[in-house]
Amino acid sequence: MDQNFNNKKPDISADKEVVDTSRRKFLRNTGIATGGVVGGAVLGGLLANPFKSHEPATTMATEHPEPINYAESLTFFRRQKDFDALSAATEVIYPEDANGPGAIALGVPYFIDKQLASPWGSNADDYRKPPFKNGQTPLTRGDIFLQGVRKLNEISENEHEVLFKDLEEDKQFAVLERFMKGEVEMNLVISAEFFALLKSSTLAGCYADPLYGGNKDMAGWKMKEYPGSQMSYIDMIEADEFILIEPRSVGGHKH
Amino acid sequence: MVTKLPKVDVVTTGVGWTGGIVAAELTKAGYKVVGLERGEDRTIEDYLHGHDELKYNQRKELMQKLTKDTITWRNTMDQDAVPVRDEEAFVVGTGVGGGGAHWGAQTYRYFPYDFEIKSKTIERYGESKIPKDMLIQDWGLSYDEIEPYYSKFEQMAGVSGEEDPLAGPRSIPYPTPPMKKNRPMRLFHEAAEKLGYHPYVVPAGTVSEVYTNPDGETLNACQYCSFCGNYGCEYGAKADPVVTVVPTAKKTGNFELRTNCLVTRVLYDGDKATGVLYKDTRTGEEFEQPAEIVAMTSYVFNNIRLLLLSGIGEPYDPKTGKGIIGKNYVDHHTIMGATGFFDEKFNLYAGTGALGSAFTDYCADNFDHSDVDFIHGGQIEIHIMGNEPIANNPVPAGTPAFGKEFKEKSLHYSNRTLSVVSQRAFMPWKNHYLDLDPAYTDDNGDPLIRVTFDYTDQDCNLNEFLADKCAGVLKEMGAEIIDKHPMPEHFGGRFTFQHDSGGAIMGSSPENSAVNNYLQMWDVDNLFVCGASAFPHFGPTNPTPTTAALTYRATEGMIEYLKNGGGQLVKTGKETQNV
Ligand SMILES: Cc1cc2nc3c(=O)[nH]c(=O)nc-3n(C[C@H](O)[C@H](O)[C@H](O)COP(=O)(O)OP(=O)(O)OC[C@H]3O[C@@H](n4cnc5c(N)ncnc54)[C@H](O)[C@@H]3O)c2cc1C
């Protein structure tokens, strides 16, 4: 699609904002982005390779270097080792493969970092009165994550003398499996709970609206062929065929 | 210090579906109503920018936060209950509209069998069909008696539907035509018909065309945008108190809505409810609101909790079987069947909270139960609500829970998976009930409500039976892999879409019920307990139309009560009624 796109607008700069805006205009003109619906075949024809579209043309990148993404900074985690273990763990859960990016390229670790710094990370909407019994944990989600990622490193260092991020993938998988089964000793929380939180947060980071910092370039949605925040499907609800629709973010509606 | 306010005709404890209906009907009749709502005020503008799965579906933005209070639960009477701590596991409405602001708007009626479940079961199968400790009872009104009120609700909500050929008779057709059928629904219909069932497109409060209700409120046409259950509808195309009964009440000039007002007690002088005590949740200031009639409209849990905290009625004691408040609590959050994995890809991202098809051949007493070890049954259904990507990562059983294969398969199947499930009726049992928790309190120091509930043989046998039928339909639809959902051993304490009932049940006499068939308390004439708290058992499907129908009937009772200057509306036993 970049090919097509650039052919039509040769003067476009590689600045992502501009590319995106113009692409939106292009899509709007074709009726794809406005909730108008184009059949899979038509879309495929219009946009060759429609889902490889998120990278701006690299040849021009040298002239206008990638702007710094200030959102990719830590707001919750303090120790780099902790964040590295988290990043590696999310990538094991949702690895890069032939379908497309994995958790790290989707921005999942930063997504989780921001979520943990939000009221959700300190369980601000939950009932917190003691006593905590029958396996209920007094820890906040933030506490659980910190302890969990440190435990990942601790186990890797004790058993393999490397940090979790440097472990081979199959060994990383095996460690996570032990957490999942509740086999790892943790303090005031069972390891299965940490794992469940890690897995659900990773998937949330892959598939939440990109406004939260994950699902970068809507690549999670593209892999799933999920159209995101559309306004209407009334014109296609009865269709027999699968219809591929270019995804759209909540933020996309303002532009 | 409590500020005493001037007396009004009616005060409601909450402004969701039941509170909104009471407000609309009583203000139209010329009475002054004050609606006290613990949450925020809300208009349809609040629903713009709402297509956000993380915020609304995962994190439950529109629902009650558990910061100040929650419920506790346990399976059996010998256990200590624990509080539901995680907001995502206790999902009830707060703010104007209540659960009605973010419901899925599936709008079924119950069956004639439901309302006379005990007599009809005995009549056909004998007393021995009802297990010991199963506390089913007739509701104190028949399907024919509730029918006009179902119609009234459907007319108000603009319900789009197609008649279920196996359901009770209807006096008038649905006000708007059924929703469009998508491909999975068409497959379901074909398969069900081939198997000899009677499929129909389910009734929906996501309205199929622009509709103006008898009160003059207009609902727009549903866009099938999929951000529906758990979300508010920015089109005003989903029946919601915010776009129906609340504006109806407001335009009479007789309605005063007070938000951020938490009712903490119903004031009771041993004979009548004199009003309510409430607190401004921002300032902590306390007020007394006197009223001729107190309409309890705070959903099942808080209806029962307020009764118990206020010392009204006799609390149920499962050991002796005495008392009534808290009795017959039933949870209905168990909807299961089977999941089918297909070769074909479907447009599963599109749908509405109520888009789907069903058949009721195995529901109510629509089939012979002589050879099965359960009563009642369930509706078998397919729903296409719009599969959101965080919540839906389907993989066939046996797939690793994470990693390469999980990613590959969950991507592959995300548009190739259909579930056929059954909503089934749940019965009341002697040891399932609501009471006040002895250990946990809310921010005011008042005890939380405690749920005691678990699955029984009836539920497991019924599940076994229905899961097979669901799998059979999926097979006929062409599923390549079919995974039946196993029944968990115990109820797990997730209350995620306001399907609870009982605690202040209705019936034919004060001996077997807390309220009469106008939801008027037998021993407190000016107290009407509105909501699914009145159901003696949980019928097969979603509760709101039955809740609303009973509440419409209650409003007739309230008007009669105010006109007559008081009194019981129903003489006990089989004697004729006043109204
Ligand atoms: C996600 C979801 C999906 C659903 N889908 C369906 C569906 O498809 N079909 C269906 O039939 N039903 C559905 N329901 C259930 C439906 O929402 C309820 O049946 C309905 O809202 C019940 O009406 P109610 O008036 O009893 O309670 P609500 O509508 O919840 O209203 C109760 C109100 O009382 C207020 N309140 C409570 N306590 C106090 C107090 N102490 N003081 C002041 N105010 C108080 C609350 O804030 C709330 O606004 C769904 C619910 C949810 C959450």
Side-chain angles (χ1 to χ4, degrees):
Chain A
M1 128 129 209
D2 284 318
Q3 229 53 58
N4 277 345
F5 176 70
N6 289 327
N7 289 345
K8 280 193 176 152
K9 309 251 179 206
D11 57 338
I12 202 73
S13 107
D15 179 302
K16 256 200 180 157
E17 278 315 300
V18 181
V19 172
D20 279 349
T21 312
S22 307
R23 199 166 122 254
R24 262 194 295 275
K25 256 186 223 137
F26 165 71
L27 292 172
R28 204 177 298 138
N29 293 341
T30 59
I32 296 166
T34 47
V37 173
V38 181
V42 183
L43 187 66
L46 256 181
L47 314 168
N49 200 4
F51 284 168
K52 295 273 187 294
S53 62
H54 52 282
E55 302 262 329
T58 43
T59 45
M60 287 180 278
T62 43
E63 291 161 40
H64 303 272
E66 276 284 301
I68 296 169
N69 186 347
Y70 293 103
E72 293 192 347
S73 317
L74 294 182
T75 55
F76 172 79
F77 287 96
R78 298 179 299 267
R79 302 184 196 165
Q80 190 62 34
K81 265 195 222 164
D82 294 344
F83 187 67
D84 290 345
L86 171 77
S87 302
T90 62
E91 187 71 17
V92 177
I93 288 172
Y94 197 90
E96 178 141 10
D97 66 1
N99 293 294
I104 292 177
L106 286 168
V108 170
Y110 287 107
F111 164 89
I112 293 177
D113 174 76
K114 286 200 179 57
Q115 289 295 309
L116 292 175
S118 81
W120 179 81
S122 43
N123 298 57
D125 293 340
D126 294 347
Y127 186 79
R128 302 292 296 160
K129 283 194 209 313
F132 291 84
K133 48 185 186 188
N134 298 0
Q136 293 194 325
T137 177
L139 304 183
T140 64
R141 296 185 180 93
D143 296 334
I144 295 173
F145 259 97
L146 271 187
Q147 196 193 141
V149 296
R150 286 175 188 169
K151 209 74 198 181
L152 287 172
N153 277 337
E154 188 187 310
I155 289 180
S156 309
E157 288 191 293
N158 285 348
E159 297 178 9
H160 306 284
E161 287 159 8
V162 290
L163 290 169
F164 183 76
K165 74 174 168 63
D166 298 322
L167 214 53
E168 293 101 60
E169 202 191 320
D170 59 327
K171 294 213 173 88
Q172 288 177 326
F173 191 95
V175 170
L176 282 181
E177 224 169 14
R178 278 157 61 190
F179 277 84
M180 181 175 80
K181 292 181 180 152
E183 291 169 1
V184 177
E185 194 68 32
M186 289 180 66
N187 187 13
L188 295 172
V189 63
I190 54 168
S191 69
E193 190 165 341
F194 164 62
F195 178 82
L197 198 52
L198 174 67
K199 179 182 168 184
S200 59
S201 307
T202 300
L203 292 175
C206 295
Y207 298 126
D209 193 287
L211 73 89
Y212 296 100
N215 187 15
K216 211 185 251 180
D217 298 322
M218 297 184 273
W221 287 349
K222 288 171 188 169
M223 284 186 277
K224 256 198 175 178
E225 303 185 315
Y226 177 74
S229 158
Q230 304 290 326
M231 290 314 290
S232 172
Y233 294 121
I234 194 166
D235 294 334
M236 53 69 69
I237 189 74
E238 291 170 304
D240 269 317
E241 303 292 312
F242 183 74
I243 298 173
L244 190 63
I245 299 172
E246 186 78 0
R248 187 167 196 192
S249 152
V250 174
H253 292 282
K254 280 190 286 201
H255 304 282
Chain B
M1 214 206 56
V2 178
T3 309
K4 190 165 176 173
L5 300 164
K7 189 170 183 177
V8 294
D9 296 319
V10 182
V11 64
T12 77
T13 63
V15 186
W17 263 133
T18 56
I21 288 169
V22 170
E25 293 306 299
L26 272 289
T27 55
K28 281 193 293 176
Y31 295 103
K32 299 278 181 210
V33 178
V34 164
L36 299 174
E37 168 54 51
R38 66 179 172 185
E40 61 173 1
D41 197 5
R42 210 175 258 151
T43 75
I44 168 172
E45 279 175 65
D46 291 300
Y47 303 150
L48 294 168
H49 312 288
H51 290 198
D52 180 342
E53 181 190 6
L54 185 69
K55 183 171 175 178
Y56 291 93
N57 191 35
Q58 299 288 314
R59 304 281 158 80
K60 313 292 179 196
E61 170 70 10
L62 293 174
M63 289 75 159
Q64 180 195 341
K65 308 293 174 228
L66 306 187
T67 328
K68 295 191 165 68
D69 71 282
T70 181
I71 60 173
T72 71
W73 73 280
R74 58 182 182 172
N75 288 135
T76 57
M77 288 164 58
D78 55 8
Q79 294 172 337
D80 281 344
V82 288
V84 181
R85 296 186 177 278
D86 180 352
E87 195 215 349
E88 292 157 29
F90 182 58
V91 178
V92 301
T94 195
V96 174
H102 46 70
W103 68 324
Q106 298 174 29
T107 44
Y108 310 99
R109 297 176 172 200
Y110 289 169
F111 288 76
Y113 173 71
D114 281 298
F115 298 96
E116 293 164 276
I117 189 166
K118 187 168 184 187
S119 18
K120 283 180 190 261
T121 303
I122 293 174
E123 192 184 300
R124 190 162 173 191
Y125 307 104
E127 295 256 6
S128 64
K129 189 75 183 170
I130 303 170
K132 184 176 160 281
D133 294 346
M134 183 195 272
L135 305 182
I136 51 171
Q137 69 182 43
D138 294 354
W139 287 36
L141 93 175
S142 66
Y143 175 82
D144 290 341
E145 285 170 296
I146 197 179
E147 200 286 335
Y149 306 101
Y150 272 131
S151 293
K152 190 160 184 178
F153 168 73
E154 290 162 358
Q155 297 293 314
M156 177 275 290
V159 174
S160 303
E162 176 173 272
E163 200 161 332
D164 171 5
L166 303 180
R170 307 175 52 85
S171 56
I172 39 169
Y174 284 112
T176 53
M179 307 296 291
K180 294 174 193 283
K181 272 200 209 115
N182 68 0
R183 167 109 178 119
M185 288 160 73
R186 291 196 294 272
L187 287 178
F188 178 89
H189 278 253
E190 278 163 30
E193 269 160 25
K194 247 198 215 145
L195 294 167
Y197 305 133
H198 300 81
Y200 71 105
V201 177
V202 305
T206 56
V207 179
S208 63
E209 62 184 28
V210 180
Y211 172 75
T212 300
N213 78 12
D215 297 318
E217 312 302 338
T218 297
L219 289 152
N220 290 312
C222 172
Q223 297 299 304
Y224 301 81
C225 78
S226 84
F227 293 88
C228 198
N230 287 310
Y231 303 82
C233 178
E234 75 272 35
Y235 289 104
K238 177 165 73 174
D240 166 350
V242 171
V243 295
T244 54
V245 287
V246 171
T248 298
K250 278 184 177 163
K251 71 190 178 196
T252 63
N254 292 327
F255 183 46
E256 191 190 333
L257 173 62
R258 292 186 206 142
T259 50
N260 303 301
C261 294
L262 179 78
V263 177
T264 53
R265 291 290 185 279
V266 173
L267 300 168
Y268 175 55
D269 66 8
D271 173 36
K272 281 201 171 143
T274 57
V276 300
L277 186 68
Y278 74 92
K279 191 170 132 174
D280 184 316
T281 56
R282 299 158 302 183
T283 62
E285 267 177 292
E286 283 197 294
F287 299 89
E288 178 183 338
Q289 178 59 66
E292 276 308 322
I293 286 181
V294 175
M296 300 192 67
T297 55
S298 39
Y299 189 58
V300 175
F301 294 119
N302 275 350
N303 280 357
I304 305 312
R305 183 162 178 249
L306 282 170
L307 287 172
L308 292 171
L309 288 174
S310 308
I312 301 175
E314 192 185 343
Y316 173 63
D317 179 350
K319 292 203 187 81
T320 61
K322 290 218 170 67
I324 193 74
I325 306 301
K327 195 179 176 191
N328 282 35
Y329 169 77
V330 178
D331 179 89
H332 187 255
H333 285 95
T334 308
I335 300 177
M336 303 190 306
T339 298
F341 299 87
F342 289 73
D343 281 345
E344 183 183 348
K345 240 156 107 177
F346 306 103
N347 294 309
L348 296 182
Y349 47 77
T352 92
L355 185 65
S357 294
F359 58 85
T360 60
D361 298 69
Y362 295 116
C363 198
D365 205 27
N366 291 350
F367 67 109
D368 186 2
H369 288 64
S370 302
D371 296 329
V372 295
D373 42 11
F374 55 82
I375 63 165
H376 211 307
Q379 161 173 287
I380 292 180
E381 58 188 37
I382 187 165
H383 274 101
I384 314 294
M385 305 187 191
N387 282 358
E388 296 142 306
I390 301 174
N392 290 282
N393 293 283
V395 290
T399 310
F402 63 99
K404 276 205 161 62
E405 195 181 335
F406 170 78
K407 180 182 175 190
E408 175 72 34
K409 291 227 167 106
S410 61
L411 288 176
H412 177 79
Y413 282 117
S414 60
N415 289 305
R416 291 182 173 90
T417 304
L418 300 173
S419 288
V420 170
V421 296
S422 99
Q423 291 203 60
R424 65 286 305 263
F426 273 81
M427 298 303 132
W429 297 85
K430 183 167 173 272
N431 292 346
H432 297 170
Y433 66 108
L434 297 174
D435 67 351
L436 294 176
D437 191 279
Y440 293 95
T441 59
D442 68 6
D443 251 18
N444 298 330
D446 286 330
L448 301 180
I449 197 87
R450 173 171 69 176
V451 166
T452 306
F453 183 80
D454 205 355
Y455 301 133
T456 62
D457 288 346
Q458 148 91 17
D459 306 323
C460 298
N461 298 339
L462 182 53
N463 185 63
E464 195 57 34
F465 179 85
L466 292 169
D468 275 339
K469 311 295 178 204
C470 295
V473 175
L474 280 166
K475 185 153 182 265
E476 193 62 42
M477 289 170 72
E480 294 295 317
I481 304 171
I482 298 169
D483 288 340
K484 279 199 277 174
H485 307 155
M487 184 85 185
E489 224 174 297
H490 295 287
F491 173 64
R494 289 185 65 82
F495 304 81
T496 49
F497 38 83
Q498 281 190 240
H499 284 210
D500 313 273
S501 71
I505 59 174
M506 59 194 291
S508 56
S509 85
E511 277 73 59
N512 61 22
S513 51
V515 297
N516 64 29
N517 61 23
Y518 288 92
L519 309 187
Q520 180 186 34
M521 269 196 96
W522 290 111
D523 37 19
V524 191
D525 291 349
N526 70 333
L527 185 59
F528 290 75
V529 189
C530 304
S533 47
F535 298 3
H537 71 273
F538 207 110
T541 45
N542 312 60
T544 307
T546 307
T547 299
L550 292 173
T551 304
Y552 272 115
R553 186 176 158 85
T555 62
E556 282 186 10
M558 293 177 204
I559 290 168
E560 205 58 32
Y561 175 95
L562 289 168
K563 267 198 212 145
N564 297 343
Q568 256 300 310
L569 296 156
V570 177
K571 299 276 183 286
T572 56
K574 293 266 171 244
E575 287 170 63
T576 45
Q577 301 166 357
N578 282 346
V579 184

